[in-house]
Amino acid sequence: MPSSKCACCVAVALMALSACGQGRETPKTVPVAGTVTYQGKPVMMGSIVFQPVTPSPGSPFRPAQGVLEMDGSYEVQSFAAGDGAVPGEYRVVITSTDGGPTPEEPERMITWLIPRKYGDAEKTPLTVTVSEHGANADAYNFVLED
């Protein structure tokens, strides 16, 4: 009997969750992809996050994020893989580190592969506007400096 009560509770919870999503549409997103370089070379690992500053009217404050590939390229997503970013103004936060604590070396330090200022949403000098109408080919390429 306890397992049937549990199954009933799970079924009710699933129905409630599915009802919550009805009638809601994902906001319009724009594909966003580019490259990140530092000292003339691709940043080969790390992450990139577009932190909203001012979203388009009626759009949510939703960050977009991506992973830096070996060639420095990235593609951001907000709701689903490769969907891009909601139009609006963003602060761009990029992190690329190596090392860090492990079970074998709990005191091991993190090494930043790019200047730390790019990894801080308050200090990053990078901003970008994602337009509903798209952008030129280099709009989302970032050249990091010391």
Side-chain angles (χ1 to χ4, degrees):
M1 198 64 156
S3 64
S4 65
K5 282 185 179 181
C6 183
C8 183
C9 289
V10 169
V12 169
L14 289 175
M15 287 189 297
L17 286 174
S18 67
C20 289
Q22 291 179 347
R24 290 188 191 171
E25 289 188 27
T26 302
K28 179 180 181 355
T29 56
V30 177
V32 173
T35 60
V36 179
T37 58
Y38 175 59
Q39 296 180 339
K41 298 176 185 166
V43 178
M44 298 175 18
M45 64 183 192
S47 65
I48 186 166
V49 178
F50 284 29
Q51 292 283 353
V53 175
T54 310
S56 294
S59 295
F61 244 56
R62 179 80 173 204
Q65 55 194 4
V67 175
L68 300 176
E69 302 295 336
M70 293 295 289
D71 63 356
S73 68
Y74 71 90
E75 180 179 35
V76 299
Q77 65 183 42
S78 296
F79 302 97
D83 66 351
V86 175
E89 184 182 341
Y90 293 88
R91 243 182 245 112
V92 181
V93 178
I94 301 171
T95 56
S96 182
T97 60
D98 192 20
T102 66
E104 298 80 27
E105 298 179 74
E107 302 298 318
R108 186 174 177 200
M109 300 298 291
I110 293 174
T111 302
W112 280 81
L113 304 175
I114 61 174
R116 279 183 103 157
K117 66 183 176 185
Y118 295 108
D120 185 330
E122 299 296 318
K123 295 178 183 173
T124 182
L126 305 174
T127 61
V128 70
T129 300
V130 175
S131 170
E132 291 181 36
H133 308 293
N136 69 39
D138 295 327
Y140 306 119
N141 292 342
F142 299 101
V143 178
L144 309 184
E145 300 173 352
D146 288 319

